[in-house]
Amino acid sequence: MSTGNIRDDAAKPGFDRAARFYDLFYSVVEAFSSRHRRELLHRARGSILEIGVGTGSSFQDYPPGVPIVGVDISQEMLHRAEEKRRSYDREIELRKEDVLRLSFDDEAFDTVFSSWVFCSVADPRRGLSEVHRVLKRGGQLLMLEHVRSKNRILGWLMDRLNPLVSRLGLGDINRDTIQYLRQAGFKIEQEQNITYDLVKAIVASK
Ligand SMILES: C[S@@+](CC[C@H](N)C(=O)[O-])C[C@H]1O[C@@H](n2cnc3c(N)ncnc32)[C@H](O)[C@@H]1O
């Protein structure tokens, strides 16, 4: 596992602490996540980068045989991913990287994937600009993310609750990820509402 030269991101200590219990805690949503990851990942092609790979829960959801580069800012999450990696007969490279300053060359990947990541990245706009930079022209970004509702009352409530939720280390619940994607230069190809308009499967292209 190589270690990128990074500055600590605000998200890191929280996820380092959470790594031990992450799989247990997330087992409640994992069956849900896995089904939707799989649906998105059948589109994955060419060279694939996963941002915020966490404990490697997604490894089971990739089509057979495709090689993956998985990055995360948390060394402890990567340790867990490394343990899982051993039980898969596929090429998986794990690297410690901050999505805010990826060490990859411009246009290095055909596909970038993330699930439940951009709610906790300190600066999602900058992170998505980095993803845009490392994606090839014509490449695609596949995302499973929760976002702020467009419903006036629900959106207002999410804004009010966000400081508390965020302080608990659960990320921001009021991010307008679709708008950030457009601002980063992506074209939205698919925006599928999975749970009301709170959880979305997104396909974006460069
Ligand atoms: C909620 S977990 C999701 C993990 C995994 N994608 C999944 O679906 O189970 C969010 C992950 O994003 C990572 N992360 C947060 N900020 C990051 C950053 N700036 N750069 C890279 N990874 C980051 C965290 O360390 C954590 O592993």
Side-chain angles (χ1 to χ4, degrees):
M1 198 189 316
S2 56
T3 303
N5 180 20
I6 59 160
R7 179 186 66 81
D8 280 359
D9 179 279
K12 181 187 171 253
F15 279 106
D16 272 351
R17 274 198 300 274
R20 251 172 88 191
F21 307 104
Y22 184 85
D23 283 350
L24 186 66
F25 183 66
Y26 266 77
S27 57
V28 190
V29 286
E30 188 43 38
F32 170 86
S33 296
S34 187
R35 196 180 113 218
H36 293 293
R37 277 201 213 100
R38 213 164 279 206
E39 274 172 23
L40 274 172
L41 283 169
H42 84 269
R43 296 166 174 266
R45 56 181 165 70
S47 47
I48 302 170
L49 170 67
E50 177 167 344
I51 303 289
V53 69
T55 62
S57 307
S58 62
F59 295 162
Q60 60 183 341
D61 301 322
Y62 280 90
V66 296
I68 315 157
V69 178
V71 301
D72 202 288
I73 197 168
S74 161
Q75 192 67 65
E76 292 303 318
M77 294 294 249
L78 286 169
H79 280 316
R80 264 81 193 170
E82 178 63 25
E83 282 161 21
K84 275 199 199 112
R85 187 180 72 89
R86 293 191 200 116
S87 38
Y88 288 92
D89 183 22
R90 66 162 85 239
E91 212 181 297
I92 302 174
E93 185 190 339
L94 295 171
R95 294 168 65 140
K96 186 178 176 193
E97 295 258 354
D98 184 348
V99 71
L100 303 184
R101 51 184 67 74
L102 294 169
S103 67
F104 305 105
D105 290 340
D106 294 356
E107 313 220 340
F109 295 95
D110 295 292
T111 304
V112 177
F113 172 71
S114 75
S115 60
W116 316 127
V117 173
F118 282 88
C119 56
S120 60
V121 169
D123 182 345
R125 291 180 181 85
R126 182 159 153 211
L128 289 169
S129 294
E130 268 296 87
V131 170
H132 192 268
R133 180 183 69 74
V134 302
L135 198 57
K136 286 181 190 166
R137 202 151 293 282
Q140 55 181 353
L141 168 60
L142 312 172
M143 298 174 95
L144 189 59
E145 294 288 343
H146 62 82
V147 299
R148 185 185 187 279
S149 176
K150 294 283 180 214
N151 175 285
R152 213 163 46 88
I153 296 166
L154 194 51
W156 177 86
L157 196 62
M158 292 173 94
D159 290 340
R160 294 299 161 290
L161 287 176
N162 191 58
L164 174 67
V165 177
S166 175
R167 231 174 289 136
L168 291 173
L170 300 172
D172 284 350
I173 53 169
N174 63 346
R175 294 198 166 172
D176 190 349
T177 306
I178 296 290
Q179 194 197 329
Y180 306 158
L181 281 163
R182 291 202 174 101
Q183 287 168 349
F186 284 101
K187 179 171 176 234
I188 309 298
E189 303 286 351
Q190 175 195 300
E191 180 188 341
Q192 182 194 352
N193 288 337
I194 292 176
T195 308
Y196 191 45
D197 68 342
L198 300 174
V199 174
K200 290 182 188 281
I202 302 162
V203 179
S205 62
K206 176 171 173 180

